[in-house]
Amino acid sequence: MKRKLLIAGAAFFAALFLFSGFMLYREYADSKQSADAFESLAGLVLEESPIQSDDTADSPGDTTEETEPQITPAEKYGLLYEQNSDFVGWITIDGTNINYPVMQTPDNPNFYLKHNFEKEYSNHGVPYVQENCTLGASDNVIIYGHHMIDGSMFADLCKYESEDFYREHKTIRFDTLSEYGEYEIVTVFKTVAYSPEGFQYNRFVNAEDKAAFDEFLAGCNALRLYDTGVSTEYGEKLICLSTCEYSHTNGRLVVLAKKVGGNA
């Protein structure tokens, strides 16, 4: 009897080991497939070629260039939009792995939480805009992305827990199909979701008035991890990047930034 129990126990642990190995392999394969897919998508983004200014074009050795790109955002990201009309923009943060397309499905909220760019099931998903936000019009555009254990998606937002990291990476680029956009980080904070104690930052999309804007900003600053010294005012356009963080159950780390530059 004892021998049978030992054999059964050994078989159980062997099966558990094999199952764990399979799950690890599947996670690795999914991560690699996701990374390869996003690399291919990045290859569809056309390069911007700055226009050389007229007054220096004939000067030998003078490489001064204008900052105006030769192509419009619609041209730069057109191939992505042709592949999937849910594509609404591209987000990049230097010094991080964040360099991804951004999607939106107003009639099917959170679709890209568990789907890839090709609309197939994926644990990685794709960063996406909250369904009730209107790009170019809403006062605050909320963008969600997973915190993946492989460091992909919005995992690197949690680097902003460090003020030193923030000091070296203060800006976010978020382009849409209609304009290029540069954003300066205003504040970084933590809260919890699905709890009455949590700050409902994602409910603020459009300010009814200055008082509503100031109330939202005060809520963000009350939870901030450090003082960036950057302020924002009623009427300025904001983006709010949100991802999971694991110091609390249903924890969220949020980076709030204001638009400071861009062109069509």
Side-chain angles (χ1 to χ4, degrees):
M1 183 67 179
K2 185 176 180 180
R3 178 181 175 81
K4 289 181 178 180
L5 288 175
L6 289 173
I7 293 173
F12 171 78
F13 284 109
L16 182 62
F17 176 79
L18 289 173
F19 177 76
S20 298
F22 170 75
M23 294 302 291
L24 286 172
Y25 171 77
R26 191 170 75 170
E27 180 65 28
Y28 168 78
D30 186 46
S31 294
K32 187 176 187 310
Q33 182 180 34
S34 177
D36 290 345
F38 282 117
E39 185 176 351
S40 295
L41 292 173
L44 296 178
V45 178
L46 300 184
E47 292 292 329
E48 298 173 31
S49 299
I51 301 172
Q52 191 173 35
S53 61
D54 293 337
D55 59 347
T56 60
D58 297 326
S59 302
D62 194 331
T63 59
T64 302
E65 295 178 331
E66 297 285 354
T67 59
E68 294 291 330
Q70 286 183 322
I71 59 174
T72 67
E75 291 169 333
K76 179 173 182 175
Y77 300 106
L79 292 176
L80 292 169
Y81 183 76
E82 287 179 11
Q83 287 202 8
N84 187 337
S85 60
D86 293 337
F87 171 83
V88 295
W90 192 281
I91 190 163
T92 306
I93 304 179
D94 289 341
T96 75
N97 290 325
I98 298 172
N99 183 37
Y100 296 113
V102 178
M103 318 300 283
Q104 188 180 30
T105 49
D107 297 326
N108 191 3
N110 304 321
F111 177 79
Y112 286 97
L113 184 71
K114 288 294 183 179
H115 290 84
N116 62 20
F117 190 87
E118 287 73 33
K119 301 185 180 182
E120 301 165 338
Y121 182 85
S122 169
N123 283 325
H124 285 71
V126 189
Y128 65 96
V129 175
Q130 186 168 286
E131 69 277 3
N132 61 337
C133 297
T134 302
L135 297 179
S138 293
D139 296 318
N140 184 34
V141 171
I142 300 106
I143 306 174
Y144 299 101
H146 281 301
H147 182 164
M148 302 302 294
I149 59 175
D150 62 6
S152 65
M153 298 299 99
F154 276 6
D156 276 354
L157 284 184
C158 288
K159 289 183 176 180
Y160 282 104
E161 292 185 45
S162 164
E163 185 175 356
D164 288 340
F165 182 82
Y166 156 74
R167 296 294 172 192
E168 297 295 323
H169 307 87
K170 295 183 178 181
T171 60
I172 298 167
R173 178 161 178 175
F174 176 49
D175 299 337
T176 68
L177 288 166
S178 60
E179 62 179 353
Y180 298 113
E182 182 179 347
Y183 293 77
E184 182 179 15
I185 294 173
V186 175
T187 192
V188 180
F189 64 91
K190 291 183 182 181
T191 186
V192 293
Y194 317 120
S195 169
E197 287 78 33
F199 175 49
Q200 305 299 316
Y201 60 92
N202 55 348
R203 292 186 178 180
F204 178 80
V205 173
N206 290 301
E208 297 178 1
D209 50 32
K210 184 178 184 300
F213 183 91
D214 291 343
E215 181 180 2
F216 166 72
L217 188 61
C220 297
N221 285 331
L223 298 168
R224 69 188 181 189
L225 302 182
Y226 42 82
D227 184 3
T228 65
V230 179
S231 62
T232 184
E233 299 178 353
Y234 176 56
E236 292 184 311
K237 297 299 183 182
L238 308 174
I239 57 172
C240 208
L241 310 186
S242 174
T243 195
C244 294
E245 70 88 27
Y246 303 116
S247 63
H248 295 85
T249 302
N250 294 320
R252 297 291 185 271
L253 185 134
V254 182
V255 176
L256 179 71
K258 67 176 182 179
K259 190 174 184 182
V260 293
N263 47 52

